[in-house]
Amino acid sequence: MVARQRRQDTSSVRPARGTGITAPIAHALRFAGLLSVLAGLIWPIQAAALAWAIAGWIAGDMGRTPWAAAIFVAGGFLRAFCDHRAGQILFDAADQTISHQRAALITREARARAPLGSAEIAALIVQKLPLLQPWITRYSIAMIKVAVLPLVLLLISFWFSWIVGLVLLVAGPLIPVFMILIGMAAEQASRRQMDEIGSMNAMVMDRLSAMLDIRLLGAADKALADFSDRAEALRIKTMAVLRIAFLSSTVLELFSAIGVAMVAVFVGFTLLGEITFGSWSAPLSLGEGLFLLLIAPDFFQPFRELAAAWHDRAAGLSVLAELDALDGAERAPFLGEARAARPLDGPLTLSLAGVVAALPGRRVTLPDFSLKRGQSLALIGESGAGKSTGLAALAGLVPLADGQITVCGHRLDHETADAWRARIALVPQRPHFPDQPLYAWLDPDKRHTDPWPALKRAEVDQVVLRLPYGLRTRLGETGGGVSGGEARRLMIARAILSGRELILADEPTADLDPDTAAMIIRALMHLKENGHSVIVATHDPDLAALMDRRVEVGQ
């Protein structure tokens, strides 16, 4: 029930998809489309003025020139204004959409992680979401212009010559037909490219996190070869997308050139008197012929813009498909609102009864046990049995499919989780250090307590003294500048400084040399001796033997 309730809660931050993604900016898109269409409709007026002036020159009437020039220049300024304003609106709308989607994704993934690697999520947020910008700024407006401008120019052409109108009518529709056929392949190629980008980011993050082991095992050349193969696969998929884009452009230019050429041939032979049909009454005049020649390329211009934006459509739809798949992924949302809260009232107690933790695609049964203030307990079991999941469930970071966890006399649920976590300090196996000075990270509750006693008790004070800026040092995200054991001792110092009563430590001595592991064990035992309760998930028999009780997970 809790898992179902939290899934409903997280749906409120689910980003809008499909056509709904543009719903908040629909008014802006319509207004920008109106401005773009208006800019396109100005050109026939400019073309008419230019043809009128040239016809006057041939007839010896130069008095038309100032008026034609004024109309042409005024139209140019108005077109420039409409295009600039439409572009500004479109880019603002695209930025708004991408910002909203990015914020919604980050909020949701922070609350309920999908079963994807962080590298794939980062690739989606950083590399793929920006591909929505050209989809919004180019493709959506191109579709509006294609729906209006060619029809207007076609009607104008038919008004003067049914031959010119017929040429445009035949050549124009062939372009969308071929674009649709090519676009199907473009969309599939773009999706393959998007998948490859996510996979490559995941591989890079995996190799970087394991770089030390790779070098120790002498597998650097193999890792480099794997990366080279994956990069080559991405290059091939990218080139496939580009080939399709060039093909669609070539098809468009071919039909456009044929259409304009046929109009030019008809107009030329009509003006030479070789063709006496094709107009509704008298043969075309010089001004009418020039006007038709000037507007014929613009009949194809919206199709050109649509073809140029067709790849943007394919890329945008690929991103939307990935977002839809991410929406449908099964998640494990944590309890609470992740907000600062007053510590839960009551003496420290913890008990589990029939608990089954709900992970995406998996259920983990946890043993029944209880714990009071000052007691310690070791969760033991084989790798993958669910020890880390058990710690996460105790902190309310994993929902329950069944059973109940009782903390301080209260049921651990959405209402009590934040207050319960205010009494817990977590020592993860892989510490994370945000971009802030070490003294601020050691004191998240802003208690402004002297950190040195806690650092000494965790046997990490000398490490801090060796850092280039001491407590003002900003460690890298994964603790650059300190070893894994030193990072965990810093976590223990942080737990001591926080004064929180229950310490949850996930494999605190894993992958450490005996001396460093002994420091970690001494620090944890010091916490227990000072009244803290300690729960460790561990494979270390020495650490487990020092706990008051040992509970096996996965029996």
Side-chain angles (χ1 to χ4, degrees), residues 39-74:
L41 292 176
I42 293 172
W43 172 243
I45 300 173
Q46 291 179 288
L50 187 59
W52 180 60
I54 294 175
W57 299 345
I58 302 299
D61 183 5
M62 302 299 292
R64 301 179 183 182
T65 303
W67 292 103
I71 293 173
F72 194 86
V73 171

mmCIF file of all heavy atoms in Angstrom, residues 39-74:
data_model
loop_
_atom_site.group_PDB
_atom_site.id
_atom_site.type_symbol
_atom_site.label_atom_id
_atom_site.label_comp_id
_atom_site.label_asym_id
_atom_site.label_seq_id
_atom_site.Cartn_x
_atom_site.Cartn_y
_atom_site.Cartn_z
ATOM 1 N N ALA A 39 5.330 37.157 -41.981
ATOM 2 C CA ALA A 39 6.593 37.479 -42.656
ATOM 3 C C ALA A 39 6.638 36.846 -44.044
ATOM 4 O O ALA A 39 7.116 37.461 -45.006
ATOM 5 C CB ALA A 39 7.775 37.008 -41.819
ATOM 6 N N GLY A 40 6.133 35.611 -44.163
ATOM 7 C CA GLY A 40 6.124 34.952 -45.465
ATOM 8 C C GLY A 40 5.158 35.592 -46.442
ATOM 9 O O GLY A 40 5.410 35.618 -47.656
ATOM 10 N N LEU A 41 4.035 36.139 -45.942
ATOM 11 C CA LEU A 41 3.041 36.759 -46.819
ATOM 12 C C LEU A 41 3.476 38.138 -47.307
ATOM 13 O O LEU A 41 2.871 38.673 -48.258
ATOM 14 C CB LEU A 41 1.712 36.870 -46.079
ATOM 15 C CG LEU A 41 1.010 35.545 -45.763
ATOM 16 C CD1 LEU A 41 -0.252 35.776 -44.951
ATOM 17 C CD2 LEU A 41 0.684 34.772 -47.049
ATOM 18 N N ILE A 42 4.481 38.706 -46.675
ATOM 19 C CA ILE A 42 4.964 40.020 -47.113
ATOM 20 C C ILE A 42 5.743 39.910 -48.415
ATOM 21 O O ILE A 42 5.744 40.835 -49.229
ATOM 22 C CB ILE A 42 5.820 40.667 -46.002
ATOM 23 C CG1 ILE A 42 4.947 41.006 -44.786
ATOM 24 C CG2 ILE A 42 6.528 41.926 -46.492
ATOM 25 C CD1 ILE A 42 5.738 41.468 -43.581
ATOM 26 N N TRP A 43 6.409 38.761 -48.633
ATOM 27 C CA TRP A 43 7.238 38.630 -49.824
ATOM 28 C C TRP A 43 6.458 38.784 -51.140
ATOM 29 O O TRP A 43 6.941 39.467 -52.059
ATOM 30 C CB TRP A 43 7.984 37.305 -49.824
ATOM 31 C CG TRP A 43 8.697 37.061 -51.129
ATOM 32 C CD1 TRP A 43 8.463 36.064 -52.018
ATOM 33 C CD2 TRP A 43 9.722 37.862 -51.709
ATOM 34 N NE1 TRP A 43 9.276 36.170 -53.112
ATOM 35 C CE2 TRP A 43 10.076 37.290 -52.938
ATOM 36 C CE3 TRP A 43 10.371 39.025 -51.301
ATOM 37 C CZ2 TRP A 43 11.050 37.817 -53.787
ATOM 38 C CZ3 TRP A 43 11.351 39.558 -52.129
ATOM 39 C CH2 TRP A 43 11.686 38.952 -53.359
ATOM 40 N N PRO A 44 5.253 38.209 -51.315
ATOM 41 C CA PRO A 44 4.529 38.467 -52.574
ATOM 42 C C PRO A 44 4.291 39.946 -52.828
ATOM 43 O O PRO A 44 4.317 40.389 -53.991
ATOM 44 C CB PRO A 44 3.204 37.709 -52.370
ATOM 45 C CG PRO A 44 3.539 36.621 -51.414
ATOM 46 C CD PRO A 44 4.549 37.229 -50.476
ATOM 47 N N ILE A 45 4.078 40.727 -51.772
ATOM 48 C CA ILE A 45 3.901 42.175 -51.946
ATOM 49 C C ILE A 45 5.199 42.805 -52.422
ATOM 50 O O ILE A 45 5.216 43.644 -53.344
ATOM 51 C CB ILE A 45 3.432 42.815 -50.624
ATOM 52 C CG1 ILE A 45 2.097 42.204 -50.179
ATOM 53 C CG2 ILE A 45 3.327 44.329 -50.751
ATOM 54 C CD1 ILE A 45 1.634 42.645 -48.814
ATOM 55 N N GLN A 46 6.335 42.400 -51.798
ATOM 56 C CA GLN A 46 7.626 42.915 -52.246
ATOM 57 C C GLN A 46 7.919 42.487 -53.679
ATOM 58 O O GLN A 46 8.436 43.282 -54.486
ATOM 59 C CB GLN A 46 8.735 42.399 -51.325
ATOM 60 C CG GLN A 46 8.709 42.970 -49.916
ATOM 61 C CD GLN A 46 9.815 42.397 -49.057
ATOM 62 O OE1 GLN A 46 9.747 41.231 -48.665
ATOM 63 N NE2 GLN A 46 10.830 43.188 -48.800
ATOM 64 N N ALA A 47 7.614 41.220 -53.999
ATOM 65 C CA ALA A 47 7.858 40.727 -55.360
ATOM 66 C C ALA A 47 7.019 41.489 -56.370
ATOM 67 O O ALA A 47 7.493 41.821 -57.480
ATOM 68 C CB ALA A 47 7.549 39.230 -55.432
ATOM 69 N N ALA A 48 5.771 41.776 -56.026
ATOM 70 C CA ALA A 48 4.898 42.542 -56.936
ATOM 71 C C ALA A 48 5.456 43.947 -57.166
ATOM 72 O O ALA A 48 5.451 44.461 -58.297
ATOM 73 C CB ALA A 48 3.490 42.611 -56.361
ATOM 74 N N ALA A 49 5.938 44.590 -56.084
ATOM 75 C CA ALA A 49 6.521 45.929 -56.225
ATOM 76 C C ALA A 49 7.760 45.897 -57.110
ATOM 77 O O ALA A 49 7.962 46.785 -57.965
ATOM 78 C CB ALA A 49 6.855 46.493 -54.847
ATOM 79 N N LEU A 50 8.615 44.878 -56.923
ATOM 80 C CA LEU A 50 9.832 44.761 -57.715
ATOM 81 C C LEU A 50 9.504 44.503 -59.191
ATOM 82 O O LEU A 50 10.091 45.132 -60.100
ATOM 83 C CB LEU A 50 10.694 43.635 -57.157
ATOM 84 C CG LEU A 50 12.087 43.452 -57.748
ATOM 85 C CD1 LEU A 50 12.918 44.713 -57.584
ATOM 86 C CD2 LEU A 50 12.789 42.272 -57.086
ATOM 87 N N ALA A 51 8.560 43.592 -59.446
ATOM 88 C CA ALA A 51 8.163 43.310 -60.837
ATOM 89 C C ALA A 51 7.523 44.525 -61.485
ATOM 90 O O ALA A 51 7.756 44.807 -62.681
ATOM 91 C CB ALA A 51 7.203 42.111 -60.850
ATOM 92 N N TRP A 52 6.733 45.241 -60.760
ATOM 93 C CA TRP A 52 6.081 46.467 -61.263
ATOM 94 C C TRP A 52 7.120 47.507 -61.653
ATOM 95 O O TRP A 52 7.014 48.168 -62.700
ATOM 96 C CB TRP A 52 5.139 46.979 -60.178
ATOM 97 C CG TRP A 52 4.393 48.232 -60.518
ATOM 98 C CD1 TRP A 52 3.532 48.418 -61.566
ATOM 99 C CD2 TRP A 52 4.442 49.469 -59.808
ATOM 100 N NE1 TRP A 52 3.019 49.695 -61.560
ATOM 101 C CE2 TRP A 52 3.558 50.360 -60.473
ATOM 102 C CE3 TRP A 52 5.101 49.907 -58.660
ATOM 103 C CZ2 TRP A 52 3.351 51.677 -60.032
ATOM 104 C CZ3 TRP A 52 4.885 51.205 -58.219
ATOM 105 C CH2 TRP A 52 4.038 52.078 -58.894
ATOM 106 N N ALA A 53 8.146 47.663 -60.788
ATOM 107 C CA ALA A 53 9.200 48.646 -61.081
ATOM 108 C C ALA A 53 10.008 48.247 -62.311
ATOM 109 O O ALA A 53 10.296 49.083 -63.180
ATOM 110 C CB ALA A 53 10.126 48.786 -59.877
ATOM 111 N N ILE A 54 10.389 46.973 -62.435
ATOM 112 C CA ILE A 54 11.186 46.511 -63.588
ATOM 113 C C ILE A 54 10.385 46.645 -64.880
ATOM 114 O O ILE A 54 10.915 47.057 -65.927
ATOM 115 C CB ILE A 54 11.648 45.065 -63.357
ATOM 116 C CG1 ILE A 54 12.618 45.004 -62.177
ATOM 117 C CG2 ILE A 54 12.316 44.509 -64.615
ATOM 118 C CD1 ILE A 54 13.029 43.601 -61.790
ATOM 119 N N ALA A 55 9.106 46.303 -64.806
ATOM 120 C CA ALA A 55 8.256 46.482 -65.993
ATOM 121 C C ALA A 55 8.194 47.941 -66.392
ATOM 122 O O ALA A 55 8.163 48.277 -67.597
ATOM 123 C CB ALA A 55 6.864 45.925 -65.706
ATOM 124 N N GLY A 56 8.189 48.843 -65.418
ATOM 125 C CA GLY A 56 8.202 50.276 -65.722
ATOM 126 C C GLY A 56 9.493 50.713 -66.378
ATOM 127 O O GLY A 56 9.487 51.572 -67.273
ATOM 128 N N TRP A 57 10.612 50.132 -65.905
ATOM 129 C CA TRP A 57 11.897 50.478 -66.538
ATOM 130 C C TRP A 57 11.876 50.110 -68.021
ATOM 131 O O TRP A 57 12.357 50.881 -68.877
ATOM 132 C CB TRP A 57 13.051 49.749 -65.876
ATOM 133 C CG TRP A 57 13.214 50.078 -64.407
ATOM 134 C CD1 TRP A 57 12.648 51.111 -63.731
ATOM 135 C CD2 TRP A 57 13.978 49.337 -63.462
ATOM 136 N NE1 TRP A 57 12.999 51.075 -62.409
ATOM 137 C CE2 TRP A 57 13.835 49.990 -62.206
ATOM 138 C CE3 TRP A 57 14.752 48.196 -63.535
ATOM 139 C CZ2 TRP A 57 14.447 49.538 -61.061
ATOM 140 C CZ3 TRP A 57 15.372 47.754 -62.415
ATOM 141 C CH2 TRP A 57 15.228 48.405 -61.162
ATOM 142 N N ILE A 58 11.365 48.929 -68.350
ATOM 143 C CA ILE A 58 11.311 48.484 -69.737
ATOM 144 C C ILE A 58 10.418 49.408 -70.557
ATOM 145 O O ILE A 58 10.700 49.718 -71.739
ATOM 146 C CB ILE A 58 10.817 47.036 -69.841
ATOM 147 C CG1 ILE A 58 11.727 46.099 -69.028
ATOM 148 C CG2 ILE A 58 10.718 46.573 -71.286
ATOM 149 C CD1 ILE A 58 13.163 46.082 -69.504
ATOM 150 N N ALA A 59 9.339 49.873 -69.926
ATOM 151 C CA ALA A 59 8.401 50.760 -70.622
ATOM 152 C C ALA A 59 8.866 52.205 -70.606
ATOM 153 O O ALA A 59 8.207 53.070 -71.189
ATOM 154 C CB ALA A 59 7.018 50.641 -70.000
ATOM 155 N N GLY A 60 9.984 52.511 -69.911
ATOM 156 C CA GLY A 60 10.493 53.869 -69.842
ATOM 157 C C GLY A 60 9.862 54.711 -68.756
ATOM 158 O O GLY A 60 10.049 55.935 -68.715
ATOM 159 N N ASP A 61 9.114 54.081 -67.849
ATOM 160 C CA ASP A 61 8.459 54.811 -66.751
ATOM 161 C C ASP A 61 9.283 54.627 -65.482
ATOM 162 O O ASP A 61 9.137 53.628 -64.772
ATOM 163 C CB ASP A 61 7.044 54.282 -66.559
ATOM 164 C CG ASP A 61 6.282 55.037 -65.478
ATOM 165 O OD1 ASP A 61 6.829 56.021 -64.952
ATOM 166 O OD2 ASP A 61 5.139 54.613 -65.150
ATOM 167 N N MET A 62 10.166 55.586 -65.177
ATOM 168 C CA MET A 62 11.015 55.483 -63.981
ATOM 169 C C MET A 62 10.322 56.018 -62.726
ATOM 170 O O MET A 62 10.858 55.921 -61.635
ATOM 171 C CB MET A 62 12.314 56.253 -64.210
ATOM 172 C CG MET A 62 13.117 55.786 -65.414
ATOM 173 S SD MET A 62 13.612 54.053 -65.248
ATOM 174 C CE MET A 62 14.759 54.185 -63.897
ATOM 175 N N GLY A 63 9.143 56.576 -62.881
ATOM 176 C CA GLY A 63 8.442 57.140 -61.730
ATOM 177 C C GLY A 63 7.961 56.081 -60.745
ATOM 178 O O GLY A 63 7.628 56.403 -59.605
ATOM 179 N N ARG A 64 7.913 54.852 -61.191
ATOM 180 C CA ARG A 64 7.474 53.785 -60.284
ATOM 181 C C ARG A 64 8.559 53.417 -59.250
ATOM 182 O O ARG A 64 8.249 52.845 -58.198
ATOM 183 C CB ARG A 64 7.132 52.525 -61.079
ATOM 184 C CG ARG A 64 6.041 52.698 -62.116
ATOM 185 C CD ARG A 64 5.823 51.391 -62.844
ATOM 186 N NE ARG A 64 4.832 51.492 -63.901
ATOM 187 C CZ ARG A 64 4.435 50.468 -64.670
ATOM 188 N NH1 ARG A 64 4.993 49.270 -64.482
ATOM 189 N NH2 ARG A 64 3.529 50.631 -65.595
ATOM 190 N N THR A 65 9.819 53.719 -59.599
ATOM 191 C CA THR A 65 10.935 53.217 -58.791
ATOM 192 C C THR A 65 10.871 53.652 -57.325
ATOM 193 O O THR A 65 11.039 52.813 -56.421
ATOM 194 C CB THR A 65 12.262 53.633 -59.415
ATOM 195 O OG1 THR A 65 12.311 53.144 -60.765
ATOM 196 C CG2 THR A 65 13.446 53.093 -58.620
ATOM 197 N N PRO A 66 10.676 54.972 -57.000
ATOM 198 C CA PRO A 66 10.661 55.352 -55.574
ATOM 199 C C PRO A 66 9.566 54.636 -54.784
ATOM 200 O O PRO A 66 9.790 54.205 -53.653
ATOM 201 C CB PRO A 66 10.425 56.862 -55.624
ATOM 202 C CG PRO A 66 10.881 57.278 -56.984
ATOM 203 C CD PRO A 66 10.543 56.138 -57.884
ATOM 204 N N TRP A 67 8.397 54.512 -55.402
ATOM 205 C CA TRP A 67 7.305 53.836 -54.688
ATOM 206 C C TRP A 67 7.615 52.360 -54.477
ATOM 207 O O TRP A 67 7.392 51.812 -53.398
ATOM 208 C CB TRP A 67 5.996 53.993 -55.486
ATOM 209 C CG TRP A 67 5.495 55.394 -55.521
ATOM 210 C CD1 TRP A 67 5.582 56.281 -56.555
ATOM 211 C CD2 TRP A 67 4.827 56.078 -54.461
ATOM 212 N NE1 TRP A 67 5.030 57.485 -56.229
ATOM 213 C CE2 TRP A 67 4.540 57.392 -54.925
ATOM 214 C CE3 TRP A 67 4.440 55.742 -53.168
ATOM 215 C CZ2 TRP A 67 3.892 58.341 -54.150
ATOM 216 C CZ3 TRP A 67 3.792 56.681 -52.401
ATOM 217 C CH2 TRP A 67 3.522 57.963 -52.866
ATOM 218 N N ALA A 68 8.128 51.720 -55.521
ATOM 219 C CA ALA A 68 8.472 50.302 -55.400
ATOM 220 C C ALA A 68 9.575 50.097 -54.370
ATOM 221 O O ALA A 68 9.544 49.145 -53.571
ATOM 222 C CB ALA A 68 8.900 49.746 -56.756
ATOM 223 N N ALA A 69 10.588 50.993 -54.380
ATOM 224 C CA ALA A 69 11.681 50.884 -53.418
ATOM 225 C C ALA A 69 11.168 51.052 -51.986
ATOM 226 O O ALA A 69 11.589 50.342 -51.064
ATOM 227 C CB ALA A 69 12.755 51.919 -53.721
ATOM 228 N N ALA A 70 10.255 52.020 -51.795
ATOM 229 C CA ALA A 70 9.701 52.248 -50.454
ATOM 230 C C ALA A 70 8.935 51.017 -49.970
ATOM 231 O O ALA A 70 9.069 50.594 -48.817
ATOM 232 C CB ALA A 70 8.800 53.477 -50.467
ATOM 233 N N ILE A 71 8.115 50.442 -50.867
ATOM 234 C CA ILE A 71 7.361 49.236 -50.488
ATOM 235 C C ILE A 71 8.315 48.089 -50.171
ATOM 236 O O ILE A 71 8.148 47.361 -49.181
ATOM 237 C CB ILE A 71 6.400 48.847 -51.624
ATOM 238 C CG1 ILE A 71 5.314 49.913 -51.781
ATOM 239 C CG2 ILE A 71 5.769 47.481 -51.340
ATOM 240 C CD1 ILE A 71 4.426 49.697 -53.001
ATOM 241 N N PHE A 72 9.362 47.924 -51.016
ATOM 242 C CA PHE A 72 10.297 46.828 -50.831
ATOM 243 C C PHE A 72 11.065 46.960 -49.511
ATOM 244 O O PHE A 72 11.206 45.992 -48.753
ATOM 245 C CB PHE A 72 11.276 46.773 -52.003
ATOM 246 C CG PHE A 72 12.061 45.511 -52.079
ATOM 247 C CD1 PHE A 72 11.563 44.401 -52.729
ATOM 248 C CD2 PHE A 72 13.314 45.398 -51.487
ATOM 249 C CE1 PHE A 72 12.277 43.208 -52.799
ATOM 250 C CE2 PHE A 72 14.034 44.225 -51.540
ATOM 251 C CZ PHE A 72 13.516 43.127 -52.196
ATOM 252 N N VAL A 73 11.568 48.194 -49.217
ATOM 253 C CA VAL A 73 12.341 48.405 -47.989
ATOM 254 C C VAL A 73 11.453 48.253 -46.757
ATOM 255 O O VAL A 73 11.827 47.617 -45.764
ATOM 256 C CB VAL A 73 13.018 49.783 -48.023
ATOM 257 C CG1 VAL A 73 13.645 50.095 -46.661
ATOM 258 C CG2 VAL A 73 14.080 49.823 -49.103
ATOM 259 N N ALA A 74 10.244 48.848 -46.802
ATOM 260 C CA ALA A 74 9.330 48.742 -45.657
ATOM 261 C C ALA A 74 8.969 47.276 -45.402
ATOM 262 O O ALA A 74 8.930 46.813 -44.248
ATOM 263 C CB ALA A 74 8.074 49.571 -45.907
#
